[in-house]
């Protein structure tokens, strides 16, 4: 029988989960990880990314393919970051 009690999940848990997943991806993709800082934040996504990247040499962000309609309806965090970043930004495209 499946347990129907709600699972307790808070912001700290979410941040830790994101950091673990990100660390796995970075370690699988980059040879030297000792100079990479991983952080998780919540709030307005583009604003949080830009605030964290203010003292970086450059910023790498992932993005998903979207239809023009999807971009118009939901906006684009990637577009906001690209337009407002004070440092060079590279994007990595994903079909998912």
């Amino acid at each position: 029988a499946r347990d129907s009690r709600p699972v307790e999940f808070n912001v700290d848990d979410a941040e830790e989960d994101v950091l673990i997943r990100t660390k796995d991806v970075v370690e699988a993709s980059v040879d030297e990880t000792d100079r990479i800082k991983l952080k998780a934040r919540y709030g307005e996504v583009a604003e949080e990314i830009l605030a964290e990247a203010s003292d970086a040499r450059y910023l790498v962000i992932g993005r998903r393919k979207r239809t023009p309609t999807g971009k118009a309806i939901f906006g684009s965090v990637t577009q906001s970051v690209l337009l407002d970043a004070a440092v060079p930004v590279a994007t990595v495209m994903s079909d998912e």
Side-chain angles (χ1 to χ4, degrees):
R2 189 170 165 220
D3 188 352
S4 62
R5 289 178 289 174
V7 175
E8 199 171 305
F9 194 76
N10 61 41
V11 172
D12 291 335
D13 294 335
E15 286 182 358
E16 185 175 337
D17 183 59
V18 167
L19 285 173
I20 289 168
R21 291 171 188 258
T22 304
K23 184 176 183 255
D24 291 345
V25 170
V26 168
E27 288 177 349
S29 305
V30 179
D31 292 331
E32 295 181 35
T33 60
D34 59 319
R35 293 176 39 194
I36 296 174
K37 262 194 284 185
L38 301 176
K39 294 183 180 183
R41 297 288 183 266
Y42 61 93
E44 292 297 321
V45 179
E47 290 175 17
E48 291 293 326
I49 291 170
L50 293 170
E52 285 298 327
S54 64
D55 63 343
R57 288 199 334 217
Y58 58 90
L59 176 62
V60 179
I61 58 174
R63 63 180 287 199
R64 289 174 270 164
K65 285 187 178 178
R66 278 202 178 146
T67 65
T69 305
K71 286 181 185 176
I73 294 171
F74 298 109
S76 173
V77 170
T78 302
Q79 183 176 356
S80 295
V81 171
L82 286 168
L83 293 173
D84 297 332
V87 299
V89 180
T91 62
V92 179
M93 181 70 75
S94 171
D95 289 332
E96 298 177 19

